[in-house]
Amino acid sequence: MQVSFIIPLFNCLPLTQAMLASLQATLPAGLAHEIIFVDDGSTDGTRDWLTTLQDPTFRVVLNERNHGYAISNNRAVAIARGEFLALLNNDLVLQPRWLEPMLAAHAKFHGRAGL
């Protein structure tokens, strides 16, 4: 199982960095995943920061201008490799075990649950 975490961005770099730290700290051990950032034309240093992400679990899409949340999500979904898609906002601070109940519900209902 692989999860694709999709995170549209527009400025707010400190929030994005805090969200990424909380995401990485709360992922279940051994979870196959990718993190797809879609930058929607940020001008606050976000794009420079994205170039520093060297881990192969990171993927970056750069919109040439601000297309909005829905288009950014759709662009990421089009390239996502995961069996599951987690659409996240960059201002979240994720708490431990936030993901496990959703994956368990999906398993319990044999793929008939969307959360």
Side-chain angles (χ1 to χ4, degrees), residues 1 15 18 20 26 43 54 60 63-64 72 75-76 98 103 111 113:
M1 164 188 8
L15 292 178
L20 177 59
T26 60
T43 59
Q54 300 300 314
V60 174
N63 289 341
E64 61 281 356
S72 292
R75 290 193 72 196
W98 70 273
L103 296 175

Side-chain angles (χ1 to χ4, degrees), residues 12-33:
C12 301
L13 178 57
L15 292 178
T16 300
Q17 292 169 322
M19 184 280 311
L20 177 59
S22 73
L23 174 61
Q24 290 177 312
T26 60
L27 289 178
L31 178 71
H33 69 280

